[in-house]
Amino acid sequence: MAHDKNTTGPAIEPRCLTLQQAADYCALTRSGFSAWQRQGLVPGPIPGTNRWDRKALDAALDKASGLREAGAMPEDPWDAWERERDAAKAAGAR
């Protein structure tokens, strides 16, 4: 964990990231991060916010890089939420 030079304890690493922080976390420019988002490689912001969930980014990158193959591991909470949200949207569109 990172240390803040102004304190003696560990710095808090935020789970919710701004667009710039999310892009930096993925070692991308903001436009590169937005392109990955359009391609479905990384999720969009948390609904109703302008913040990205660090754990959701990790899960998406694990999936995109092949670290988590379909059926190899239980579905993570983010994927379950996303699947249920998409199903609810599709049901509402009928």
Side-chain angles (χ1 to χ4, degrees):
M1 188 173 274
H3 287 279
D4 185 339
K5 63 183 175 186
N6 297 324
T7 66
T8 58
I12 296 174
E13 294 183 13
R15 178 168 171 180
C16 297
L17 307 173
T18 64
L19 173 59
Q20 185 62 57
Q21 289 170 324
D24 290 345
Y25 185 69
C26 295
L28 296 166
T29 63
R30 287 171 62 149
S31 62
F33 183 83
S34 294
W36 277 24
Q37 186 180 332
R38 286 189 302 277
Q39 294 169 15
L41 293 173
V42 295
I46 298 167
T49 74
N50 290 320
R51 297 288 187 264
W52 280 257
D53 185 321
R54 181 189 305 271
K55 289 186 179 186
L57 291 172
D58 287 340
L61 293 172
D62 285 352
K63 186 175 180 181
S65 67
L67 291 176
R68 201 180 91 235
E69 296 177 17
M73 292 177 59
E75 184 177 40
D76 70 27
W78 171 259
D79 287 339
W81 175 86
E82 215 172 26
R83 180 179 42 73
E84 291 168 9
R85 179 201 60 192
D86 293 346
K89 281 183 180 178
R94 294 181 184 159

